[in-house]
Amino acid sequence: MFQGMSEKKIKDRVLDSTAKDKKEIDDWMASASGGKILGAIVVLLGIWLVVRMFWS
């Protein structure tokens, strides 16, 4: 009886840690894409400023 309960707790802990790891990976991917978008905006603004400087 105690052995079954222990196995269930171990399985729950493994599933919880797996879900936690998946959430951390998803959060990292979201922040990484957000950083890429921000970087792209900064690059485009830089290019726009350089073109505007040479145009005038």
Side-chain angles (χ1 to χ4, degrees), residues 10-39:
I10 291 171
K11 287 179 183 177
D12 288 343
R13 287 181 184 167
V14 169
L15 290 175
D16 287 344
S17 68
T18 303
K20 182 181 174 186
D21 291 343
K22 185 179 182 311
K23 184 182 181 315
E24 288 176 358
I25 291 170
D26 290 342
D27 290 345
W28 180 81
M29 291 295 283
S31 68
S33 66
K36 289 178 184 176
I37 292 171
L38 181 62

Side-chain angles (χ1 to χ4, degrees), residues 1-3 6 12 15-16 20 23 26 38 41 50-51 53:
M1 179 176 170
F2 292 112
Q3 190 176 24
S6 176
D12 288 343
L15 290 175
D16 287 344
K20 182 181 174 186
K23 184 182 181 315
D26 290 342
L38 181 62
I41 291 171
V50 169
V51 168
M53 186 172 59

